[in-house]
Amino acid sequence: MTSAKYAELGAFLRSRRERIRPGDVGLAAGPRRRVAGLRREEVAQLAGASVDYYNELERGAGSQPSEQMLAALARALRLTHDERDHLFHLADRPVPAPTGATSHVHPGMMDLLTRLTSTPAQVITDLHVTLVQNPLAVALLGDQSGYRGKQASFVYRWFTDPEARRLYPEEDHRTQSRAFAADLRAAAARRDAKDTEASAMIDELLRRSPEFAGLWAEHDVAFRRDDRKRLDHPVLGLLEVNCLNLFSEDGRQRLLWFTPALGTESADALDLLAVIGTQRIDTGERS
């Protein structure tokens, strides 16, 4: 990156930060706030960056930000698609394809996620790649921000990595496998014929997983719009929850949120998530 681009990147970040009100991202304004927009430390917190690192970016200095950091900043600052692309251009990074872990989350979906403060919620792609989680979703399902490539898809991990199933009781595995295969068929059919991400993942799953191959041959198709499922949480024990989905207009992204199943004791257990936080939650699982 040239010094001119560093300076422009810093100015752009500052301009986007200053236009956002704290309430827009779920933060309290506070009685002694001197700026109309967000503070630098608040943007850093929302993006999962250190305050010093973000300060360096706004000053037009520091190291070139990674694609993952740029995606996190775009989400934290509620950038539009055009603004997100501009941010990547300024950082001399290739604009990511509309798939994978660095996919841009629509600002409206981010706004809804921000407002879901009392229930676990996250945004995933149609291939079940987790894009962003709220703290309660991390506490319930584990932090999923570290996966890359095909491993970023929970469906892929479900059929290739036994550890991916650890949150689900064994007697429920077959039901979940069938639902994932049917959902993947629906998502793949909805994509453009030139899209290779879904087809490449399906081809590899057919080679690596006899279970998936058998289910795929049945040709079941059904989007997962709402589920009642059981999760064997390492601290809270067995939970019964409803998993609800809100689809984006193009179907590429879904906002998931989890509520306790009626007639169970899971409501009290879910209330403890905020207290437990992420301690001992290292499974990296999703819905």
Side-chain angles (χ1 to χ4, degrees):
M1 287 177 62
T2 64
S3 58
K5 274 203 168 182
Y6 265 121
E8 191 173 352
L9 174 65
F12 181 65
L13 288 173
R14 185 166 57 254
S15 71
R16 301 303 89 182
R17 171 175 62 83
E18 291 175 346
R19 70 174 181 170
I20 299 178
R21 297 172 300 178
D24 294 337
V25 292
L27 298 175
R32 294 191 292 179
R33 181 175 290 270
R34 297 179 181 178
V35 294
L38 296 180
R39 299 187 179 101
R40 292 183 181 88
E41 56 266 28
E42 290 169 336
V43 176
Q45 176 186 351
L46 291 170
S50 72
V51 177
D52 288 343
Y53 177 74
Y54 182 75
N55 285 340
E56 287 291 300
L57 287 179
E58 277 208 8
R59 284 199 293 265
S63 59
Q64 183 186 25
S66 67
E67 293 179 19
Q68 289 73 30
M69 177 52 61
L70 292 170
L73 287 170
R75 294 165 190 166
L77 294 170
R78 303 299 193 267
L79 301 188
T80 66
H81 275 282
D82 290 340
E83 290 171 334
R84 189 282 308 262
D85 292 354
H86 183 62
L87 180 66
F88 272 76
H89 288 312
L90 290 176
D92 279 341
R93 295 290 189 185
V95 175
T99 57
T102 57
S103 296
H104 185 55
V105 180
H106 189 282
M109 198 163 280
M110 277 297 303
D111 181 58
L112 283 173
L113 181 68
T114 299
R115 296 174 188 278
L116 291 172
T117 58
S118 61
T119 190
Q122 58 188 23
V123 179
I124 68 171
T125 71
D126 57 342
L127 299 186
H128 294 255
V129 174
T130 301
L131 302 179
V132 61
Q133 298 173 280
N134 70 6
L136 291 181
V138 174
L140 178 64
L141 306 167
D143 184 357
Q144 300 155 58
S145 61
Y147 293 105
R148 298 290 180 268
K150 290 186 179 68
Q151 288 290 330
S153 166
F154 185 71
V155 173
Y156 182 84
R157 298 200 307 276
W158 178 266
F159 288 106
T160 60
D161 182 2
E163 283 296 300
R165 305 188 178 198
R166 188 161 48 157
L167 268 181
Y168 291 80
E170 186 173 355
E171 56 268 29
D172 296 348
H173 288 181
R174 183 64 177 175
T175 299
Q176 294 299 324
S177 294
R178 186 175 297 277
F180 278 131
D183 184 89
L184 180 57
R185 183 178 289 279
R190 190 168 182 171
R191 290 192 169 208
D192 186 276
K194 297 180 181 178
D195 186 289
T196 61
E197 183 190 27
S199 60
M201 189 173 79
I202 291 166
D203 288 344
E204 186 160 348
L205 286 175
L206 290 171
R207 290 194 301 270
R208 294 192 56 182
S209 172
E211 179 191 22
F212 177 81
L215 291 170
W216 196 252
E218 295 180 11
H219 292 270
D220 289 342
V221 54
F223 281 116
R224 300 191 77 164
R225 291 183 171 86
D226 57 81
D227 285 312
R228 179 163 173 165
K229 60 183 64 180
R230 301 191 303 165
L231 300 174
D232 190 8
H233 192 275
V235 178
L236 300 177
L238 190 64
L239 304 172
E240 291 190 58
V241 298
N242 298 311
C243 178
L244 307 171
N245 293 254
L246 176 66
F247 288 70
S248 63
E249 186 175 356
D250 63 1
R252 288 294 189 98
Q253 294 183 6
R254 310 173 188 182
L255 173 64
L256 309 183
W257 69 99
F258 300 83
T259 61
L262 294 177
T264 72
E265 299 178 356
S266 297
D268 292 338
L270 286 177
D271 286 341
L272 294 174
L273 281 176
V275 178
I276 293 172
T278 58
Q279 60 178 334
R280 294 175 54 193
I281 311 300
D282 58 1
T283 59
E285 306 311 326
R286 64 146 239 104
S287 70

